[in-house]
Amino acid sequence: MVELKTDSSVDAMYETGQVVGRALTAVREAARVGVSLLELDEIAHQVLRDAGATSPFLNYHPSFAPVPFPAVICASVNDAIVHGIPDGYRLRDSDLVSIDFGAELGGWAGDSAISFIVGEPRPADLRLVETAERALAAGIEAAVVGNRIGDIAHAVGTVCRAAGYGIPDGFGGHGVGRRMHEDPPVPNEGLPGRGLPLRHGMVLAIEPMLIGGGTDVFHADRDGWTLRTDDGSRAAHAEHTVAITTAGPRILTAR
């Protein structure tokens, strides 16, 4: 069931989204050569504490996972697409890092992700990250009253495919509200004019995931969480929580 949020609820979700945005900004600013993924996780955790917020990631245990998720950020490096578990790995020059983060505050959730390069960037990685951001912007632009879920999916997929990138099948965005993951699913590829109509008060996480090698094939790492590209190519991930309103899309996790 898709819950339509009131305007006051969307305002409250914006407050949660700002906690998410502050954490992602702090993590990105701290991500330098030699810094460990565990150190980045602690930085994000401190933002939650300072805001009086909690993490929907920490101890999250869906049916596919062998163990609960042990951190407040997903930290996916280079060939990791999503769901990377922070560990003692220390960032190296030219690493491509994707950070996914969520918060819960006042009974409402927010979810967002960024990708960036540490140190000296490779031109191919710059293009990959820029395309992920463009795909996200295209999906947000399509998130208007009167469109359908398929219009968002088509907008995201068109940008990704035109640039020659792969899209991991079965993974995409979702509704957000009292919980981080709610209905409806928001695919990263689809047909325009199809799917659930978009209505004022719907709140969606739109999140393109791109595989740099151009294939759609991936596998789960031995930890049961991290998804990696089969061909070893790099990946990028971008995400915002967005409210559908009669005035246009409202980005609740704007940084």
Side-chain angles (χ1 to χ4, degrees), residues 138-152:
I140 293 171
E141 185 176 359
V144 296
V145 173
N147 273 359
R148 293 176 176 266
I149 291 290
D151 294 300
I152 297 175

Side-chain angles (χ1 to χ4, degrees), residues 149-230:
I149 291 290
D151 294 300
I152 297 175
H154 179 72
V156 170
T158 296
V159 172
C160 297
R161 295 301 189 190
Y165 296 128
I167 300 172
D169 185 47
F171 286 86
H174 49 87
V176 183
R178 295 289 181 181
R179 300 183 310 279
M180 180 175 60
H181 291 138
E182 296 186 351
D183 288 333
V186 185
N188 283 329
E189 195 167 30
L191 296 174
R194 302 288 183 89
L196 191 71
L198 303 180
R199 298 173 58 190
H200 181 88
M202 291 176 65
V203 178
L204 308 174
I206 301 171
E207 53 177 322
M209 305 169 196
L210 284 64
I211 296 176
T215 72
D216 298 351
V217 186
F218 62 94
H219 63 275
D221 210 344
R222 286 177 295 179
D223 62 24
W225 276 100
T226 309
L227 301 184
R228 296 188 181 275
T229 63
D230 264 19

Side-chain angles (χ1 to χ4, degrees), residues 7-75:
D7 292 347
S8 61
S9 294
V10 170
D11 287 341
M13 293 188 72
Y14 178 82
E15 297 303 317
T16 307
Q18 294 313 287
V19 176
V20 176
R22 289 198 298 274
L24 289 174
T25 298
V27 167
R28 182 170 187 167
E29 290 176 349
R32 298 181 300 274
V33 172
V35 174
S36 77
L37 299 181
L38 282 173
E39 289 171 322
L40 297 182
D41 185 69
E42 176 54 29
I43 288 168
H45 208 158
Q46 189 60 51
V47 173
L48 288 174
R49 295 187 195 103
D50 291 344
T54 58
S55 171
F57 287 21
L58 184 62
N59 295 320
Y60 179 55
H61 196 181
S63 59
F64 68 80
V67 296
F69 195 78
V72 303
I73 64 170
C74 294

